[in-house]
Amino acid sequence: CCWWGRGAIQTTGPNNYGLLQREVFSQVPSLSGIDLCTNPEAICQNDDAKWLGAIFYWANNVQGYGLEAEAATFDESLRKFVESGFNRAASVVAGGGLPSGAGGGG
């Protein structure tokens, strides 16, 4: 089995596949039959899997959701953005907002 990049944002390496399996796939009933640790190609065989992998990567590695302080501002930015009817200016928290790619704290 090879651990090259797969999915919408190219999940790579056994650690990233393992995190995705543990933190996302094991929590989503419709993906319970997928085991990325034994079959990483499965991420390409299910459209929901490839996009959830991308969202998980974006939230944890780009937006910093895995870090407590960044997670709090990301949540607040997202909530304000949605509650305002997707007003970009409303999502700004701690100097950054969702449309700028910062998701708060940026």
Side-chain angles (χ1 to χ4, degrees), residues 57-97:
Y57 176 83
W58 182 264
N60 280 284
N61 297 297
V62 177
Q63 299 289 17
Y65 194 78
L67 305 173
E68 190 173 330
E70 284 78 0
T73 57
F74 178 80
D75 284 350
E76 187 177 354
S77 289
L78 179 59
R79 182 185 55 73
K80 287 181 168 191
F81 187 62
V82 172
E83 288 177 355
S84 71
F86 306 101
N87 178 325
R88 293 172 182 229
S91 75
V92 175
V93 174

Side-chain angles (χ1 to χ4, degrees), residues 2-101:
C2 298
W3 300 100
W4 62 72
R6 294 178 178 88
I9 298 189
Q10 302 290 296
T11 299
T12 58
N15 184 57
N16 289 327
Y17 280 97
L19 285 172
L20 183 57
Q21 180 70 41
R22 185 184 74 223
E23 300 294 325
V24 179
F25 286 29
S26 67
Q27 307 298 316
V28 178
S30 64
L31 300 176
S32 65
I34 295 176
D35 184 350
L36 294 176
C37 297
T38 59
N39 180 19
E41 185 63 26
I43 198 171
C44 295
Q45 298 165 346
N46 179 298
D47 286 340
D48 289 343
K50 77 178 83 166
W51 287 106
L52 283 173
I55 292 166
F56 179 73
Y57 176 83
W58 182 264
N60 280 284
N61 297 297
V62 177
Q63 299 289 17
Y65 194 78
L67 305 173
E68 190 173 330
E70 284 78 0
T73 57
F74 178 80
D75 284 350
E76 187 177 354
S77 289
L78 179 59
R79 182 185 55 73
K80 287 181 168 191
F81 187 62
V82 172
E83 288 177 355
S84 71
F86 306 101
N87 178 325
R88 293 172 182 229
S91 75
V92 175
V93 174
L98 290 171
S100 68

